[in-house]
Each structure stands twice: as C-alpha cells, then as structure tokens.
C-alpha cells in the first residue's frame, strides 16, 4: 500500500494570521485540501493520513467530505515539533495495521502544487533504493553567517541540495530510524532527511523536485502560490 502522510500539526505562527495556514482558503478551497487533491487523483496512492493540529480534526474531516477526499483514512494528533508530528503519524499507521513494507510519502500539508510526476518518482525511487528525498540542486551563491548580518565565508553550491517533500520510506524503515534516534537522544531534527543523516548509516536517493513545489510559510509565499495557480506555460516554450 502507498500512503500519503500529510503533516499539518503546526499553528503557522510565522504567517501571523488568525487561522492556521493549512486551513487558509485560496480560490475557495483550504490549502490543505489543495494538497490532498494531489494525492487523491494519483492512481498509485491508496490512502491519505493527516497529522492534524489539535482541535482542528473535525474541521479537516468536514472539508475532506465537502471536497470529496475519499482517500482520507486516518487523522492523527499533531506534536509539539515537526519531528514529533511525523513520529505520531508513522506510529499511528503502525497501530492501524499498516505493514512494514507499505510506502509512506511524508509531505508538508502546505505544499499544494505537488506534481503527479514527483509523486510517481518518489514511489519508484523508494521501491528501488529504500529512501527517496525530493530535492533541487542549489542555484544561488551561498554565504555562511553566524549572526544573520555579516559573513566572511562562502559554501560551494555544487554539492548542495535544497530538500522538499514528499520524502518517502517503507514504514518499517522510518520507524527504525525514529527508534534509533530515540536511543541516541535526537529529539528535534527539522525533517525526515536530516534525521536520517543524523542517525547515519543510510543512503538517501534524490528525486528531482520543482520550483513550483513551494512551501507556504509567509504571506509572500501565499502571493506566489496564487500567481502560480493562475499561470500557464506559454505554448512556444519547449
């Protein structure tokens, strides 16, 4: 079984709005529903699970019903951190009877422009190699700064990857990573890929991402999302 696990446990404080960003509406539809639609229409996704901000579970289910997201099977409680939310999601799937060989596509609930090709590539790469991480080669010049205001050092960009989601694993493998992290005292890694790197001993394979696969964090991101949703590629472009 291929399961999309959407992480929606955060309050979105950096957005500075009255409701969590994943429930903000764009074109008459909550951002999280736009994201869920990407998985709803993909033929190889069997089920959707959401790690939801506490107190918003009923709202989420109501929206899923309204927009006919019938692949939504499970809603799990959010954690205090992203790592804890992912933990709640993968262990929740295990408790619900999902198998160690089931594929789990861990995805930010506020990346609503995920392409079908990226989903397909995540599934294929994970099946072939075990650990699939969506990412893009870094194009910008990178400076290192300890205070955010000054820098005296640059970092070569040729070997740098900007990671996105989905990040895809067999359920048994990602639970094993979390168990090992617990033994090593790792409590707040920022993403599944960084957690795997911190634990060590596993090779991650990169799935080509997209600049359109943006994560909505700020009001500016919201403006970019609206522009991208209403832009079409010119016919003359290859």
């Amino acid at each position: 079984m291929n399961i999309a696990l959407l992480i929606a446990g955060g309050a979105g404080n950096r957005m500075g709005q009255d409701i969590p960003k994943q429930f903000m509406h764009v074109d008459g539809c909550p951002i999280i529903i736009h994201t869920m639609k990407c998985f709803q229409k993909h033929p190889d996704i069997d089920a959707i699970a959401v790690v939801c901000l506490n107190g918003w579970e009923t709202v989420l289910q109501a929206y899923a019903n309204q927009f006919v997201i019938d692949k939504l099977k499970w809603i799990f409680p959010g954690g205090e951190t992203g790592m804890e939310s992912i933990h709640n999601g993968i262990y929740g799937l295990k408790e619900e009877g999902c198998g160690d060989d089931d594929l789990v596509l861990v995805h930010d609930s506020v990346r609503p422009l995920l392409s079908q090709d990226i989903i397909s590539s995540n599934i294929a790469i994970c099946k072939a190699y075990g650990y699939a991480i969506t990412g893009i080669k870094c194009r910008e010049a990178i400076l290192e700064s300890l205070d955010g205001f000054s820098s005296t050092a640059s970092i070569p960009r040729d070997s740098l990857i900007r990671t996105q989601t989905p990040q895809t694993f067999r359920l048994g493998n990602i639970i094993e990573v979390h168990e090992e992290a617990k033994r090593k005292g790792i409590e707040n890694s920022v993403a599944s890929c960084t957690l795997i790197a911190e634990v060590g001993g596993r090779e991650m394979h990169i799935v080509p991402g997209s600049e359109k696969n943006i994560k909505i964090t700020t009001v500016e991101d919201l403006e970019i999302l609206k522009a991208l949703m209403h832009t079409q590629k010119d016919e003359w472009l290859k």
Side-chain angles (χ1 to χ4, degrees):
M1 185 159 58
N2 301 325
I3 305 162
L5 177 63
L6 273 60
I7 307 305
N13 295 326
R14 283 177 289 180
M15 182 70 78
Q17 304 302 308
D18 294 331
I19 65 172
K21 59 187 177 183
Q22 59 267 40
F23 291 101
M24 294 176 66
H25 282 61
V26 177
D27 284 3
C29 179
I31 290 174
I32 190 171
I33 296 296
H34 282 296
T35 306
M36 293 170 76
K37 285 181 178 180
C38 301
F39 295 101
Q40 173 71 28
K41 68 182 180 182
H42 195 286
D44 294 331
I45 295 297
D46 302 298
I48 298 172
V50 178
V51 179
C52 186
L53 180 65
N54 293 333
W56 287 82
E57 298 89 349
T58 302
V59 175
L60 174 63
Q61 186 64 65
Y63 280 139
N65 294 343
Q66 177 184 351
F67 291 95
V68 196
I69 308 296
D70 57 21
K71 287 185 181 180
L72 177 62
K73 303 300 182 186
W74 306 285
I75 300 175
F76 303 118
E80 294 296 321
T81 65
M83 180 175 168
E84 186 177 333
S85 287
I86 294 171
H87 176 281
N88 291 354
I90 59 177
Y91 281 83
L93 290 173
K94 184 70 173 178
E95 291 175 3
E96 291 292 337
C98 296
D100 286 345
D101 285 335
D102 288 338
L103 265 59
V104 181
L105 292 82
V106 180
H107 187 65
D108 299 316
S109 67
V110 287
R111 288 189 189 269
L113 297 183
L114 174 65
S115 73
Q116 300 292 282
D117 285 344
I118 292 177
I119 295 174
S120 295
S121 295
N122 264 266
I123 293 171
I125 293 297
C126 185
K127 285 182 176 179
Y129 300 104
Y131 298 85
I133 307 297
T134 307
I136 298 178
K137 288 186 176 181
C138 188
R139 299 173 181 172
E140 297 85 356
I142 303 295
L143 296 179
E144 182 180 20
S145 177
L146 298 179
D147 58 10
F149 295 100
S150 61
S151 175
T152 60
S154 65
I155 300 173
R157 66 185 179 186
D158 294 345
S159 62
L160 297 181
I161 298 291
R162 292 189 290 122
T163 63
Q164 302 179 332
T165 62
Q167 299 181 5
T168 305
F169 323 95
R170 296 194 184 279
L171 179 59
N173 288 345
I174 192 61
I175 287 178
E176 183 181 81
V177 168
H178 277 256
E179 288 293 319
E180 192 168 338
K182 188 185 304 181
R183 293 192 295 270
K184 292 184 175 181
I186 302 171
E187 297 180 346
N188 193 19
S189 197
V190 298
S192 294
C193 59
T194 58
L195 181 63
I196 292 168
E198 290 175 53
V199 168
R202 296 163 177 85
E203 185 175 66
M204 295 174 276
H205 284 74
I206 308 301
V207 174
S210 168
E211 295 289 356
K212 292 181 179 180
N213 186 24
I214 62 171
K215 182 179 181 181
I216 308 305
T217 303
T218 66
V219 172
E220 186 178 48
D221 296 329
L222 197 60
E223 294 170 354
I224 294 171
L225 170 63
K226 291 178 180 179
L228 288 171
M229 291 178 69
H230 293 280
T231 299
Q232 292 184 341
K233 183 178 178 180
D234 289 334
E235 293 182 1
W236 59 269
L237 289 170
K238 295 181 180 180

